[in-house]
Amino acid sequence: ESLSKLVHRSKDKRIKDEFECVSQLLEILKEGKDLAFCGVHYQTKHLDFIRSYNLFTAKPIVFLVNVSESNWLKGQNKYIADIQEYVKKEYPGCPVLPFSAVF
């Protein structure tokens, strides 16, 4: 609250823009959403602020799906299609990469 008062007293537009950006990000995070996949189209002036925070929820995601060696060799697994559908719906544009971590 005191930061809010300070921002409103300031004449620096950059400080006001950053406060607006942080307030928006905080609301999204409080809802339990990822910043990159919440459906919000951020204003151009906010993107530099967001990048400077290095937030994990604003980073691209790659889904690695460990499958058995035999499924890897066959190129199929009964769960991959369901996982790909979920990722397509919840995290559009993120790749799903099946692999086999045989030791």
Side-chain angles (χ1 to χ4, degrees):
E1 186 178 316
S2 61
L3 181 59
S4 174
K5 289 178 184 178
L6 176 67
V7 168
H8 292 298
R9 283 185 276 170
S10 174
K11 296 190 188 300
D12 187 344
K13 181 154 175 45
R14 184 164 167 79
I15 290 174
K16 291 182 180 194
D17 287 343
E18 185 169 11
F19 182 76
E20 179 184 321
C21 176
V22 169
S23 297
Q24 181 183 21
L25 297 178
L26 187 58
E27 287 303 313
I28 293 167
L29 292 172
K30 282 181 180 178
E31 293 173 8
K33 297 179 180 176
D34 289 324
L35 297 176
F37 304 100
C38 62
V40 173
H41 297 285
Y42 300 103
Q43 296 178 32
T44 305
K45 64 183 179 180
H46 290 171
L47 292 177
D48 287 334
F49 295 127
I50 294 169
R51 288 183 190 113
S52 72
Y53 304 145
N54 291 316
L55 301 169
F56 281 122
T57 60
K59 304 286 184 199
I61 299 173
V62 175
F63 289 85
L64 298 174
V65 182
N66 190 14
V67 297
S68 68
E69 185 177 13
S70 63
N71 283 346
W72 172 253
L73 294 173
K74 291 179 205 172
Q76 53 182 300
N77 179 283
K78 64 182 179 180
Y79 301 108
I80 295 293
D82 292 336
I83 293 170
Q84 287 174 328
E85 187 61 34
Y86 170 79
V87 170
K88 183 178 178 182
K89 178 182 169 200
E90 298 294 327
Y91 301 93
C94 291
V96 175
L97 304 175
F99 74 103
S100 179
V102 178
F103 294 97

